[in-house]
Amino acid sequence: EEGFAAFVDEWTQADCLTDRLISLSHANQEITGKGLGVNQQGYLLLQMADDTLRAFSSGDTTILKKSIE
């Protein structure tokens, strides 16, 4: 009935991506930014290098694993 908004606080406590540098595959592009949690709709929030804030849905975005060389 309340949607994801009812779980945002609980999600925030368990979020392991906040304050980490994250690379995504989105619309055939690799995008990197600092994780800032999720919004009320559950979209991943990234702070970009130019300090803009962007939101990404899981339906069209994949978090990329980087190998350590």
Side-chain angles (χ1 to χ4, degrees), residues 24-31 54-57 60-62 64:
L24 307 174
S25 175
H26 176 78
N28 296 323
Q29 291 182 306
E30 186 172 326
I31 299 169
R54 292 186 58 189
F56 298 90
S57 84
D60 56 2
T61 302
T62 302
L64 300 174

Side-chain angles (χ1 to χ4, degrees), residues 6 8 14-15 27 31 41 44 49 69:
V8 169
D15 189 351
I31 299 169
Q41 292 77 37
L44 177 64
E69 298 179 18

